[in-house]
């Protein structure tokens, strides 16, 4: 199975920087057999019309359009031919108050519209220290359809995101094999993945979701080559 390599730009890179990056990356990945996704910041979204990269949305409200100040809705994604979305990222949950219920509503809506859905889950340090992480992960998945054939699960332990401390191979394998007992969806890993650890992580996962290290095109391309 080809590996999934996804870059989450979060609120970084402006429109000019994003469009230069995407054009360059699209020409670089011509020979790669990985599936490459980029999630640009919302205001730097571009049409999903690249040959070798799929553009996804980091966030979207679960409506076609309407009175939702500050949100983008399906109509905006449709215009850009975007049919991939990231849901339930821990920053959306923790900084913007998105509960499991809201994430599940988004999931249902975008499932109905046949989107490819990256659904993020991951425990915090306290849960891991209490050895409750597997139960916690199962609970985070309990409100969504794990049989949806366009689902990709991103296992992203919160303590590993943006900290420079990635989960160990053993920790990733334990969570991944448990998740594989719940679903046939690909399980990718995110949390301080970079050009130095990507190769090892890709041996034990179906792919990677990369935050800060994806902002540098040379580093990100190196991960794709791995
Ligand atoms: C993320 O937030 O999805 C992520 C994986 O971030 P980083 O790679 O910076 O840890």
């Amino acid at each position: 199975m080809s590996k999934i390599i996804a870059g989450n730009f979060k609120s970084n890179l402006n429109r000019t920087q994003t469009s230069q990056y995407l054009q360059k990356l699209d020409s670089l990945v011509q020979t790669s057999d990985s599936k490459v996704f980029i999630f640009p910041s919302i205001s730097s979204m571009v049409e999903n019309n690249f040959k070798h990269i799929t553009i996804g949305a980091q966030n979207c409200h679960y409506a076609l359009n309407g009175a939702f100040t500050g949100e983008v809705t399906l109509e905006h994604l449709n215009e850009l031919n975007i049919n991939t979305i990231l849901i339930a990222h821990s920053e959306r949950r923790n900084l913007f108050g998105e509960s499991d219920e809201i994430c599940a509503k988004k999931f249902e809506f975008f499932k109905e519209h046949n989107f490819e859905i990256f659904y993020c889950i991951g425990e915090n340090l306290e849960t891991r220290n209490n050895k409750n992480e597997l139960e916690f992960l199962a609970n985070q998945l309990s409100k969504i359809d794990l049989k949806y054939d366009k689902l990709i699960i991103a296992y992203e332990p919160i303590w590993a995101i943006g900290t420079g401390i990635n989960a160990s191979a053993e920790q990733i394998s334990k969570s991944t094999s448990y998740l594989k007992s719940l679903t046939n969806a690909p399980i990718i890993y995110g949390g301080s993945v970079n050009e130095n650890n990507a190769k090892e992580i890709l041996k034990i996962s179906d792919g990677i979701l990369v935050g800060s290290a994806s902002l540098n095109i040379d580093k990100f391309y190196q991960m794709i080559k791995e």
Side-chain angles (χ1 to χ4, degrees):
M1 190 178 109
S2 62
K3 299 282 180 182
I4 295 164
I5 315 285
N8 174 14
F9 287 179
K10 308 190 183 187
S11 304
N12 298 295
L13 303 190
N14 62 27
R15 279 187 83 73
T16 311
Q17 292 166 327
T18 302
S19 114
Q20 284 168 354
Y21 182 117
L22 291 170
Q23 268 157 33
K24 186 168 170 197
L25 188 66
D26 199 39
S27 62
L28 285 173
V29 295
Q30 282 182 25
T31 53
S32 168
D33 57 4
S34 310
K35 283 191 78 184
V36 180
F37 294 83
I38 294 287
F39 295 87
S41 80
I42 291 290
S43 82
S44 302
M45 294 278 273
V46 291
E47 200 169 343
N48 177 37
N49 65 357
F50 293 88
K51 281 206 180 81
H52 310 284
I53 309 171
T54 301
I55 304 297
Q58 287 178 22
N59 182 35
C60 187
H61 186 56
Y62 47 89
L64 179 63
N65 53 30
F68 306 107
T69 303
E71 293 288 320
V72 295
T73 52
L74 180 61
E75 199 168 73
H76 303 105
L77 303 189
N78 284 345
E79 186 182 23
L80 296 174
N81 199 23
I82 288 174
N83 40 35
T84 303
I85 185 159
L86 192 66
I87 297 178
H89 190 281
S90 59
E91 286 156 14
R92 297 295 319 163
R93 293 174 185 268
N94 296 337
L95 301 176
F96 302 102
E98 289 191 12
S99 60
D100 281 341
E101 286 70 24
I102 292 177
C103 296
K105 276 189 184 167
K106 288 189 174 185
F107 176 89
E108 270 313 307
F109 181 81
F110 288 101
K111 177 188 156 191
E112 266 172 39
H113 290 89
N114 211 25
F115 268 55
E116 189 153 34
I117 298 178
F118 282 64
Y119 199 87
C120 303
I121 55 171
E123 78 284 357
N124 63 19
L125 200 52
E126 192 187 349
T127 305
R128 171 156 288 275
N129 289 341
N130 290 336
K131 302 194 187 333
N132 279 339
E133 74 275 9
L134 299 185
E135 195 185 330
F136 182 86
L137 298 176
N139 200 34
Q140 282 192 313
L141 291 175
S142 62
K143 294 185 175 59
I144 65 163
D145 174 9
L146 293 176
K147 294 202 172 83
Y148 181 48
D149 63 354
K150 292 190 174 172
L151 170 65
I152 294 161
I153 293 175
Y155 169 55
E156 300 204 296
I158 295 173
W159 49 271
I161 294 184
T163 58
I165 304 168
N166 59 285
S168 67
E170 197 187 331
Q171 289 167 327
I172 298 172
S173 299
K174 186 176 170 200
S175 299
T176 302
S177 40
Y178 175 66
L179 294 169
K180 291 227 174 249
S181 73
L182 305 178
T183 175
N184 289 328
I187 315 287
I188 67 173
Y189 169 81
S192 296
V193 180
N194 58 42
E195 69 286 8
N196 301 317
N197 57 25
K199 191 171 181 172
E200 287 309 305
I201 293 172
L202 284 166
K203 284 183 191 159
I204 49 169
S205 67
D206 296 323
I208 48 180
L209 178 55
V210 189
S212 20
S214 70
L215 298 176
N216 179 311
I217 192 165
D218 297 325
K219 291 182 179 180
F220 192 59
Y221 180 53
Q222 200 178 320
M223 292 181 241
I224 296 169
K225 283 195 291 182
E226 305 286 7

